[in-house]
């Protein structure tokens, strides 16, 4: 997968996996990674799917309606890529924290839904429930930060509540930060994510 790997000054820190929104690239969230932890290594990955030229991590049938077969295939592809990247860049595969926005948050959520040890934690900005009616792996103690908009037209508030419930039932420790700025990724929610990271992630 097309990506940027930037080695951090502190290799004991988790690797921040950056996952952009629809139409983004691997450049987009680099400043966000810096705001969360400027000493951590960063792996920023571009989605492999193109929707009219806009990169995404998996296909959708309509806005908010996912192509499940492709979602499952792309989630596996990303999970395998993480293993390959860990070998190539010599970092700990079991110490990856995802930071995703919108479509990027949805593929990060899908990693959690499908693989027990894909991520050590996740910051999900404006995510949806990636799949319904499936049993989640054991996510005991896994820290998850979710930021959401009460008035987000793309990711309705109920999606956030359902996602919180599903992840919590699987054992994850979920913190939800609410805002009222639609689908926007705001400075205040990034600050809240940074505070959460400093509390939960060592
Ligand atoms: C998705 O397709 O993942 C969601 O609708 C969010 C987005 O527009 O990327």
């Amino acid at each position: 997968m097309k990506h940027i790997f930037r080695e951090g000054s502190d290799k004991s820190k988790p690797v921040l996996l950056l996952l952009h929104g629809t139409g983004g690239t691997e450049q987009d969230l680099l400043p966000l990674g810096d705001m969360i932890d400027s000493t951590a290594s960063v792996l920023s990955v571009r989605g492999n799917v193109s929707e009219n030229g806009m990169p995404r991590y998996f296909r959708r049938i309509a806005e908010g309606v996912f192509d499940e077969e492709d979602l499952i295939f792309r989630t596996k592809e990303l999970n395998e890529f993480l293993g390959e990247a860990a070998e190539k860049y010599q970092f700990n595969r079991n110490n990856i924290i995802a930071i995703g926005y919108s479509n990027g948050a949805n593929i990060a959520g899908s990693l959690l839904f499908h693989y027990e040890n894909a991520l050590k934690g996740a910051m999900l900005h404006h995510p949806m429930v990636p799949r319904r009616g499936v049993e989640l792996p054991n996510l005991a103690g896994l820290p998850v930060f979710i930021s959401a908009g009460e008035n987000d037209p793309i990711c309705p508030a109920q999606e956030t509540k359902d996602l919180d419930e599903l992840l919590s039932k699987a054992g994850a420790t979920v913190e939800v930060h609410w805002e009222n700025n639609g689908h926007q990724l705001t400075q205040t929610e990034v600050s809240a994510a940074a505070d959460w990271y400093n509390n939960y992630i060592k």
Side-chain angles (χ1 to χ4, degrees), residues 8-185:
S9 56
D10 186 347
K11 292 202 203 82
S12 70
K13 291 291 185 66
V15 171
L16 303 179
L17 169 66
L18 307 181
L19 302 163
H20 60 76
T22 297
T25 73
E26 67 281 13
Q27 302 284 344
D28 288 13
L29 298 189
L30 292 174
L32 188 60
D34 274 340
M35 285 184 245
I36 300 296
D37 189 345
S38 59
T39 67
S41 298
V42 158
L43 177 64
S44 191
V45 184
R46 185 186 297 200
N48 255 351
V49 165
S50 168
E51 183 182 278
N52 304 318
M54 295 187 297
R56 285 177 55 84
Y57 293 96
F58 55 88
R59 285 183 220 290
R60 62 180 161 183
I61 293 152
E63 194 172 285
V65 185
F66 303 155
D67 177 334
E68 273 208 6
E69 198 181 317
D70 192 57
L71 174 67
I72 294 163
F73 175 78
R74 298 292 169 188
T75 304
K76 180 167 183 279
E77 182 181 54
L78 178 59
N79 193 42
E80 285 168 3
F81 171 76
L82 294 178
E84 289 158 24
E87 254 181 52
K88 181 170 174 191
Y89 300 116
Q90 299 285 296
F91 64 79
N92 180 357
R93 170 67 187 87
N94 297 317
N95 200 14
I96 299 176
I97 306 275
I99 305 178
Y101 168 59
S102 191
N103 184 241
N106 292 339
I107 193 84
S110 185
L111 281 171
L112 297 176
F113 269 49
H114 291 104
Y115 297 101
E116 186 167 336
N117 296 310
L119 299 172
K120 208 186 124 191
M123 281 164 264
L124 308 176
H125 298 284
H126 302 266
M128 296 175 67
V129 175
R131 263 186 97 187
R132 292 190 184 258
V134 290
E135 195 174 328
L136 271 64
N138 177 8
L139 301 175
L142 190 115
V144 179
F145 171 89
I146 298 175
S147 65
E150 281 160 20
N151 59 345
D152 187 332
I154 295 171
C155 304
Q158 192 59 45
E159 288 282 323
T160 303
K161 292 174 189 158
D162 291 350
L163 183 61
D164 178 6
E165 194 182 318
L166 290 166
L167 290 171
S168 298
K169 259 194 200 148
T173 306
V174 183
E175 182 175 311
V176 181
H177 171 87
W178 287 101
E179 297 222 336
N180 207 21
N181 298 296
H183 196 55
Q184 262 185 75
L185 178 55

